């Protein structure tokens, strides 16, 4: 059993940010418990030869109100990613760019319509596209063909990447109207080091490594939290799958919503208040 003032659960960007705030305010008596063998959570940059590959977060989407853009841009750490795309069919046939762009313009117009017009829509994003695409093809005097539907299928896969879904039939059409995009250029990329550069910024390695906050020393890796006992007003007991235990005055939960949805009904004793459980679900 180890006693500390504060336990932070999760060493993703939120956990790292919480730790840096504590250190900046002179609070050193804490640990970070991380279930994985690396820190960063959805920020997962790995070496690939002489370069880096981001297996999680990759681009900075938008500028206004985007805290990552605000942190990175003054240090000249990011640049606009400009894409030169070539579309090929499975046969290897290279498709005509002008023809492809005319189809993509229609699909992009439907997407913009989803952001603006689906406030009272109760069906999925996929069904909205199924309804609108044939009508838009006809409106633009484009004939329905194998190519138009191949691009339709490709576009769904592209949106699935952005929406983190297996299919756009899982995505709420109405949800597009309440999702707020940060205005500005949508695909800023990191010049070097991948998205993990954000973690370096949080820990003050940039711009001067001599000012780095010793967050890494606080992280316990492969320390999966299985239960939090919080009925005592003065102490919170945090139990690990490994059998380890921490006793703290405060616990800061920074895990993802997905983890909470899966584990919150078993993790907390007593159970969280019903309004919090409802919010998680």
């Amino acid at each position: 059993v180890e006693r500390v003032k504060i336990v932070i659960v999760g060493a993703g960007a939120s956990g790292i940010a919480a730790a840096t705030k504590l250190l900046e305010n002179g609070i050193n008596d804490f640990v970070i418990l991380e279930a994985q063998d690396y820190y960063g959570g959805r920020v997962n940059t790995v070496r690939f030869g002489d370069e880096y590959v981001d297996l999680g977060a990759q681009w900075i989407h938008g500028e206004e109100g985007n805290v990552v853009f605000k942190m990175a841009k003054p240090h000249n750490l990011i640049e606009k990613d400009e894409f030169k795309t070539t579309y090929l069919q499975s046969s290897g046939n290279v498709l005509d760019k002008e023809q492809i762009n005319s189809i993509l313009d229609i699909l992009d117009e439907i997407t913009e319509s989803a952001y603006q017009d689906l406030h009272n829509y109760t069906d999925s994003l996929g069904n909205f596209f199924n309804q609108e695409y044939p009508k838009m093809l006809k409106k633009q005097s484009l004939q329905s063909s194998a190519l138009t539907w191949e691009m339709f299928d490709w576009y769904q896969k592209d949106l699935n990447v952005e929406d983190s879904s297996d299919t756009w039939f899982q995505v709420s059409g109405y949800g597009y109207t309440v999702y707020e995009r940060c205005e500005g250029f949508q695909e800023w990329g990191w010049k070097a080091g991948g998205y993990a550069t954000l973690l370096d910024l949080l820990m003050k390695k940039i711009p001067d490594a001599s000012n780095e906050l010793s967050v890494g020393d606080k992280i316990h890796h492969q320390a999966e939290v299985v239960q939090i006992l919080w009925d005592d007003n003065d102490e919170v007991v945090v139990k690990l799958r490994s059998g380890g235990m921490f006793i703290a005055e405060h616990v800061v939960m920074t895990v993802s919503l997905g983890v909470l949805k899966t584990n919150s009904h078993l993790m907390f004793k007593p159970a969280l208040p019903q309004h919090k459980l409802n919010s998680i679900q």
Side-chain angles (χ1 to χ4, degrees):
V1 178
E2 185 174 340
R3 288 182 175 271
V4 291
K5 187 177 183 67
I6 300 167
V7 167
I8 298 172
V9 181
S14 295
I16 299 298
T20 60
K21 283 294 182 185
L22 292 176
L23 291 172
E24 286 173 335
N25 286 277
I27 301 171
N28 194 55
D29 186 13
F30 69 90
V31 295
I32 308 172
L33 304 180
E34 170 54 50
Q36 304 298 324
D37 59 2
Y38 70 95
Y39 67 84
R42 295 178 184 180
V43 177
N44 186 10
T45 303
V46 298
R47 275 202 170 274
F48 187 77
D50 295 330
E51 299 297 334
Y52 293 90
V53 172
D54 279 310
L55 302 182
Q58 183 171 2
W59 288 290
I60 300 172
H61 296 292
E63 303 166 24
E64 294 180 24
N66 189 324
V67 66
V68 180
F69 178 83
K70 186 177 179 180
M71 292 171 66
K73 192 67 168 71
H75 300 293
N76 198 30
L77 297 171
I78 56 176
E79 60 189 358
K80 290 183 176 181
D81 273 353
E82 303 289 355
F83 298 100
K84 295 180 179 178
T85 308
T86 301
Y87 293 89
L88 297 91
Q89 291 174 305
S90 56
S91 63
N93 177 46
V94 178
L95 296 169
D96 177 69
K97 189 166 290 187
E98 187 174 330
Q99 186 180 15
I100 292 300
N101 286 339
S102 66
I103 298 171
L104 288 176
D105 286 345
I106 290 174
L107 291 162
D108 286 342
E109 188 174 338
I110 297 172
T111 301
E112 286 304 313
S113 176
Y115 279 113
Q116 303 294 328
D117 302 332
L118 298 187
H119 294 282
N120 298 313
Y121 194 71
T122 58
D123 215 329
S124 69
L125 182 69
N127 280 333
F128 178 68
F129 267 85
N130 279 344
Q131 295 161 14
E132 295 301 309
Y133 190 53
K135 292 189 286 187
M136 291 293 291
L137 288 175
K138 188 174 182 180
K139 181 180 176 182
Q140 298 298 327
S141 301
L142 275 176
Q143 188 172 1
S144 178
S145 65
L147 177 60
T148 58
W149 290 102
E150 286 171 5
M151 288 304 301
F152 185 76
D153 184 60
W154 177 88
Y155 198 84
Q156 177 196 175
K157 293 182 174 73
D158 190 50
L159 284 188
N160 290 343
V161 172
E162 291 195 18
D163 295 332
S164 301
S165 60
D166 294 321
T167 165
W168 54 10
F169 297 106
Q170 294 176 334
V171 179
S172 162
Y174 165 74
Y176 261 53
T177 67
V178 295
Y179 177 77
E180 294 185 12
R181 293 178 289 181
C182 297
E183 295 301 319
F185 189 75
Q186 291 297 307
E187 286 163 343
W188 287 92
W190 299 91
K191 290 184 176 180
Y195 216 104
T197 308
L198 168 65
L199 306 176
D200 293 338
L201 283 165
L202 287 169
M203 294 185 286
K204 311 301 181 189
K205 289 183 184 179
I206 300 171
D208 184 352
S210 66
N211 295 325
E212 180 183 352
L213 298 168
S214 55
V215 175
D217 297 339
K218 300 291 187 180
I219 302 174
H220 292 241
H221 291 289
Q222 295 182 314
E224 182 183 355
V225 173
V226 293
Q227 197 166 57
I228 297 174
L229 309 177
W230 62 289
D231 53 341
D232 190 307
N233 289 330
D234 299 319
E235 293 182 338
V236 184
V237 177
V238 180
K239 294 184 177 182
L240 307 182
R241 186 170 299 282
S242 64
M245 185 184 303
F246 288 83
I247 298 175
E249 295 178 25
H250 308 280
V251 173
V252 182
M253 294 293 292
T254 72
V255 298
S256 69
L257 179 60
V259 169
L260 285 175
K261 290 183 82 164
T262 302
N263 300 322
S264 62
H265 62 296
L266 295 174
M267 182 179 286
F268 299 96
K269 287 197 174 182
L272 292 176
Q274 191 60 48
H275 72 276
K276 290 188 181 293
L277 291 171
N278 290 344
S279 295
I280 289 168
Q281 291 305 316

